[in-house]
Amino acid sequence: MVTAGLIFAALAAALHVYIFVLESLRWTAPRTRATFGTSQEEAVATKELAFNQGFYNLFLAIVTAIGVVAVAIDEVPVGAALTFAGTGSMLAAALVLLISSPGKARAAITQGVLPLLAVALLALGLAL
C-alpha cells in the first residue's frame, strides 16, 4: 500500500507541475484559456495572480516529490511527513475550490483525486 500511495503522490506532483506550467508560463495562451474558461481580457487581467498561484502548485509538487524520494530511500518518517504535507495541501486546496466554487467541481475533483488516494493509501500502508 505504501508503494501505491507513493505512486499516486508522484502522479499528483506531476499534475501540479503541469498546472504550474499552465498558470505561470502559459496563462494567456488560447489552449490554457479554453482549459480554464477565461477570455483574453480576463487572462491578461489575472496574469500576475495566476503566475503566483502556479508557483504554489509547483512548491507543493516539489515537497511531495522530495517526500516520495525520501520514503523510497528508506527515510520513512521525514519522507512520509513531506508527502503528507504536500498531498494533504493539494487535497485541502481542491476542497476549498469545491466548496467556494461548486461550478468548478470537475476541476476540484481532477485536482483532488490523486492526492486523496495518495493520503489514504500511504496512511493505510504505514499503519499496517
Side-chain angles (χ1 to χ4, degrees), residues 1 5 9 11 15 29 31 46 52-53 58 61-63 65 70 72 80 83-84 87 89 92-93 104 116 118 122:
M1 290 240 193
L11 290 171
L15 175 63
R31 192 162 180 206
T46 59
N52 188 27
Q53 183 171 304
L58 178 63
I62 290 169
V63 167
T83 303
F84 282 130
T87 56
S89 295
K104 295 182 179 163
L116 172 63
L122 187 57

Side-chain angles (χ1 to χ4, degrees), residues 1-123:
M1 290 240 193
V2 170
T3 301
L6 295 177
I7 290 169
F8 281 110
L11 290 171
L15 175 63
H16 280 71
V17 170
Y18 176 67
I19 295 169
F20 156 76
V21 169
L22 292 178
E23 292 177 341
S24 295
L25 306 178
R26 303 198 36 82
W27 185 247
T28 57
R31 192 162 180 206
T32 301
R33 288 188 290 109
T35 298
F36 287 91
T38 57
S39 67
Q40 176 68 30
E41 296 76 25
E42 290 170 323
V44 169
T46 59
K47 186 174 182 177
E48 288 179 16
L49 188 85
F51 182 79
N52 188 27
Q53 183 171 304
F55 273 90
Y56 277 92
N57 285 297
L58 178 63
F59 299 146
L60 291 176
I62 290 169
V63 167
T64 301
I66 292 170
V68 168
V69 170
V71 173
I73 64 169
D74 209 28
E75 294 294 333
V76 176
V78 71
L82 289 170
T83 303
F84 282 130
T87 56
S89 295
M90 292 172 188
L91 179 56
L95 289 172
V96 168
L97 180 60
L98 182 62
I99 292 166
S100 65
S101 300
K104 295 182 179 163
R106 181 173 181 243
I109 291 167
T110 299
Q111 178 181 326
V113 166
L114 294 172
L116 172 63
L117 292 170
V119 167
L121 291 171
L122 187 57

